[in-house]
Amino acid sequence: MKRTVLAAVGTLGLVCILWTSLASGQAVYGSIAGTLTDPQGAAVSGAKVTVTSVSKGSTVETTTNADGNYSVGHLIPDVYTIKGEA
């Protein structure tokens, strides 16, 4: 009886350890990427891009590269507004 209980506790502990290590690989972050262009469709390099969380009001700023591309990562799930200025 003692061995059965000990084996059950040991198995449960092993399952919990394995499950925890698998769950730690999950991420709840996202990213926003895009290309900033002018009205004629030409890429705008060196422009400031501001990404603002609608519910929290927090902002992240980045700059477009030579091709007009930008990327902002490590964002929590939310609705965002994006503003570009050259």
Side-chain angles (χ1 to χ4, degrees), residues 10-84:
T11 303
L12 181 61
L14 183 59
V15 168
C16 288
I17 290 171
L18 291 175
W19 189 352
T20 303
S21 65
L22 291 174
S24 67
Q26 304 300 314
V28 294
Y29 298 103
S31 62
I32 295 175
T35 304
L36 188 62
T37 58
D38 66 14
Q40 289 73 37
V44 180
S45 65
K48 181 172 98 172
V49 177
T50 305
V51 178
T52 304
S53 166
V54 172
S55 67
K56 296 191 184 308
S58 59
T59 62
V60 179
E61 293 181 351
T62 190
T63 306
T64 59
N65 65 11
D67 297 322
N69 298 322
Y70 65 90
S71 178
V72 176
H74 207 68
L75 299 171
I76 60 169
D78 197 0
V79 175
Y80 289 90
T81 59
I82 303 168
K83 177 181 173 185

